[in-house]
Amino acid sequence: MISSQAFTNITFFQPQSFLMTGIPGLEVVHGWISIPFSSMYTVALTGNCLILLAVRRTHSLHQPMYYFLSMLALSDVGLSLSTMPSTLAVLWFDYRIIDFNACLIQMFFLHFFSVVESSVLLAMSFDRFVAISNPLRYASVLTNNVIIRIGVAITTRATLSLLPLPFLLKRLNYCPGKILLSHSFCFHADVMKLACADITVNILYGLYVVLSTVGFDSLLIVMSYSLILYTVMGLASPRERVRTLNTCVSHILAVLVFYIPVIGVSMIHRFGKHLPHIVHALVAYVYLVVPPVLNPIIYSVKSKPIRGAMFRVISRKG
């Protein structure tokens, strides 16, 4: 006679580890592919750390706009560090095993820094709106205390939104033979598909998180820029309009660099099941690797104060 506890142990299964996938169909050239990936991670970490040091060491950059830029750089560093170890382990050493709990931890931080980045981009759009619509009150509205509160709110929101995800995955029963992930890192949508159980709750909660964070943020960013355009169109001088809009170019590019891949990943996960696996992999890498690489480049090229401060940090180190 089998006890109820033994029966539970037999029917409930969680794998000790998952098997990660590199770039499907290109396993033979993973060593060569690791070169551009290593370069991109190096550029992302170096560029964003330079921004953090430049803002910290340059007193003239102790302004709300650059504090938010530091938050963006910090989230990009976190996003890069979330995926870099497992991705390079797969590409360099063909080490594809990731522990079940380590996978859940990586998944949490990967999505955490994505939500944080989305929230910071929203805060930056609010910064641009206040600076353009009410420049005389800019310093009194965005004080250091307000910026600290915004930072705490961003972190709290991301934590509370994403904390249930690992527990929702941990409660599921998994099939002994299904341990192959679609990427070299752990996505919530990817992990939950390996379960041999009803994942309706996971799907609904995942959809809620996306809509209440990235979806809600993108809507408010569009509204912010609608109000900014309305304000700019009220300026009498065309030259003044161009000069004012030019202060938003870096942020607009950062928004596009982040949200276009996000939309691509969401669309492919829901409607692109018939597409080759390599398309899924490449879009996911673009979403996670490209924004941290491009953001420092965008701001160093478009912002003369940031560019000058970054050069001063480099020359001081030299």
Side-chain angles (χ1 to χ4, degrees):
M1 187 79 176
I2 300 175
S3 67
S4 58
Q5 184 178 0
F7 181 76
T8 302
N9 290 335
I10 292 171
T11 57
F12 186 79
F13 174 79
Q14 280 185 349
Q16 290 186 340
S17 58
F18 291 118
L19 200 62
M20 297 180 291
T21 303
I23 299 180
L26 299 177
E27 290 83 0
V28 179
V29 291
H30 270 179
W32 291 105
I33 293 172
S34 70
I35 296 174
F37 271 87
S38 302
S39 302
M40 286 191 289
Y41 279 122
T42 301
V43 170
L45 294 174
T46 304
N48 286 294
C49 287
L50 276 176
I51 287 178
L52 290 169
L53 287 172
V55 173
R56 181 181 177 184
R57 294 181 178 180
T58 308
H59 184 72
S60 60
L61 298 182
H62 292 178
Q63 301 175 31
M65 174 183 175
Y66 300 111
Y67 288 144
F68 287 128
L69 178 57
S70 296
M71 293 182 194
L72 184 66
L74 197 60
S75 66
D76 280 337
V77 169
L79 193 58
S80 297
L81 291 177
S82 297
T83 60
M84 183 178 70
S86 59
T87 298
L88 294 184
V90 171
L91 296 178
W92 279 352
F93 310 112
D94 196 32
Y95 187 83
R96 300 170 58 197
I97 298 170
I98 183 169
D99 179 77
F100 180 79
N101 290 320
C103 179
L104 298 185
I105 292 170
Q106 183 191 48
M107 180 210 69
F108 171 81
F109 281 107
L110 187 156
H111 292 301
F112 172 83
F113 284 113
S114 295
V115 171
V116 167
E117 181 146 347
S118 175
S119 303
V120 171
L121 289 171
L122 173 59
M124 294 173 83
S125 71
F126 175 69
D127 168 83
R128 292 297 82 211
F129 169 68
V130 175
I132 291 171
S133 65
N134 206 339
L136 296 178
R137 293 193 59 202
Y138 178 67
S140 61
V141 171
L142 288 172
T143 62
N144 288 345
N145 284 336
V146 169
I147 293 170
I148 291 171
R149 289 175 186 173
I150 290 174
V152 171
I154 287 171
T155 306
T156 304
R157 176 205 194 197
T159 302
L160 293 179
S161 297
L162 296 167
L163 196 58
L165 288 184
F167 298 101
L168 288 175
L169 289 173
K170 208 166 175 60
R171 73 184 177 87
L172 295 175
N173 183 30
Y174 292 82
C175 298
K178 292 176 68 176
I179 60 169
L180 185 63
L181 297 170
S182 302
H183 308 286
S184 59
F185 40 78
C186 295
F187 263 141
H188 173 254
D190 197 20
V191 176
M192 73 178 182
K193 289 176 182 177
L194 300 180
C196 288
D198 184 8
I199 58 172
T200 303
V201 174
N202 296 70
I203 293 172
L204 292 177
Y205 188 76
L207 182 61
Y208 161 75
V209 170
V210 170
L211 293 178
S212 64
T213 55
V214 176
F216 183 66
D217 293 347
S218 60
L219 181 62
L220 290 183
I221 289 172
V222 170
M223 290 175 61
S224 295
Y225 272 100
S226 299
L227 294 172
I228 287 171
L229 280 174
Y230 178 79
T231 302
V232 169
M233 290 300 105
L235 299 175
S237 168
R239 182 177 295 179
E240 188 69 17
R241 292 176 190 172
V242 173
R243 189 188 67 80
T244 303
L245 284 176
N246 195 46
T247 63
C248 301
V249 171
S250 298
H251 179 252
I252 291 172
L253 291 175
V255 168
L256 293 176
V257 162
F258 178 77
Y259 280 102
I260 289 176
V262 166
I263 293 169
V265 168
S266 300
M267 296 294 287
I268 281 182
H269 266 289
R270 282 160 180 76
F271 308 112
K273 295 179 181 179
H274 62 285
L275 294 173
H277 290 303
I278 190 171
V279 176
H280 289 257
L282 291 177
V283 171
Y285 283 124
V286 169
Y287 161 53
L288 293 171
V289 179
V290 171
V293 172
L294 290 184
N295 284 336
I297 296 173
I298 290 169
Y299 277 93
S300 62
V301 169
K302 294 298 298 178
S303 174
K304 190 176 179 180
I306 284 291
R307 184 168 63 250
M310 289 172 73
F311 279 130
R312 283 192 294 275
V313 170
I314 294 171
S315 61
R316 192 179 302 177
K317 285 182 175 296

